[in-house]
Amino acid sequence: MTVASAALYQHPFDARRRLMELNISVEALIKAVEAGHVARLNCTDNDPPFIPGTEAWRMVVRTLRDELVPLGWRKDDPSNYSLVINDSSEINIVVASADHLTCRWPGMPRTKSLKGLFTEAAVLKNSAEDDLFPDTVKADLLRAVTVLNYKTYMLLINIDDEQCRAELSLPSDFDDQMVTDWAERIFIPIPGVDGGVPQKIDNTPDIDVPVKRKAA
């Protein structure tokens, strides 16, 4: 798959329209990502180095579930693969950290940490036509695919002390235990950061968001 093949919803209006088509609350996505940013900032220099990223991811997952489950979604954690699921829309969402190309164009983001069996199964499920899978697929991978009843979107997050950006994207290729390509990308319009504004609009004024890591 080439970069140009991804369906891209970059402008906030287009992103909101597409999320409405998928029956996904854009407000829930924004609130979850912002909660992850706050969780990271609440870490201190005395935390282990990996904790800020882990805390950000954890809070995004928790807040996303807090927001969507009352709207008719449900949660599941098969083999600790933390999903939020909409049975009526036949959609799964999983949260994953991604690199600096998150919510950027051109270019394709990659997931940051190594991903396991269920992420590979999600890519296979998303890419298969009419639930037909190659005979060469390993048995354990096929078992994981059967658990994932629906297509799985990834809420890609790129959060540091200075900013947070996110996109909801449909993974389509998996290589070396990382997702490397996407069939669809929906940029989440987070207020106050340029991740929610199309980069081709050059006359958009810069917005400074003061942030400060909590004192140790």
Side-chain angles (χ1 to χ4, degrees):
M1 180 177 290
T2 63
V3 169
S5 65
L8 181 66
Y9 301 90
Q10 184 181 17
H11 192 280
F13 176 83
D14 296 328
R16 288 178 177 273
R17 175 178 54 80
R18 178 55 179 155
L19 291 170
M20 287 182 63
E21 292 174 351
L22 295 172
N23 196 27
I24 299 173
S25 166
V26 64
E27 289 78 15
L29 297 177
I30 292 171
K31 189 171 182 177
V33 176
E34 291 179 332
H37 191 203
V38 171
R40 179 184 177 92
L41 292 176
N42 281 334
C43 295
T44 77
D45 291 338
N46 290 331
D47 283 308
F50 66 89
I51 286 296
T54 301
E55 278 294 283
W57 173 85
R58 179 186 69 84
M59 190 55 69
V60 173
V61 173
R62 190 177 87 177
T63 306
L64 189 64
R65 289 174 163 184
D66 287 345
E67 294 295 313
L68 291 183
V69 169
L71 299 179
W73 294 64
R74 63 182 174 90
K75 65 183 181 70
D76 196 12
D77 297 276
S79 298
N80 291 322
Y81 194 64
S82 296
L83 299 168
V84 60
I85 303 164
N86 189 316
D87 292 301
S88 62
S89 298
E90 299 188 345
I91 289 174
N92 302 324
I93 298 177
V94 65
V95 179
S97 297
D99 65 16
H100 68 285
L101 291 176
T102 302
C103 224
R104 297 290 195 187
W105 181 261
M108 284 288 190
R110 295 170 64 100
T111 51
K112 275 188 174 181
S113 58
L114 298 180
K115 302 302 175 186
L117 183 67
F118 271 81
T119 297
E120 186 175 3
V123 173
L124 180 62
K125 178 78 173 180
N126 292 346
S127 303
E129 296 182 2
D130 300 322
D131 293 331
L132 296 178
F133 305 103
D135 295 334
T136 56
V137 174
K138 297 179 181 178
D140 58 346
L141 182 57
L142 277 177
R143 284 194 294 271
V145 170
T146 62
V147 174
L148 300 173
N149 294 321
Y150 312 131
K151 284 189 174 183
T152 300
Y153 281 80
M154 283 188 160
L155 179 57
L156 301 179
I157 57 173
N158 183 265
I159 298 174
D160 58 31
D161 288 355
E162 304 301 325
Q163 55 82 42
C164 57
R165 50 176 110 264
E167 61 181 75
L168 188 72
S169 296
L170 190 67
S172 62
D173 200 7
F174 187 86
D175 184 39
D176 294 330
Q177 292 186 279
M178 293 185 181
V179 180
T180 58
D181 211 346
W182 313 89
E184 181 177 1
R185 301 177 64 194
I186 308 168
F187 288 14
I188 308 304
I190 300 173
V193 297
D194 60 3
V197 179
Q199 290 190 347
K200 292 183 180 179
I201 299 179
D202 296 327
N203 59 353
T204 302
D206 293 334
I207 301 175
D208 293 325
V209 181
V211 292
K212 185 178 181 180
R213 174 65 65 82
K214 184 177 180 181

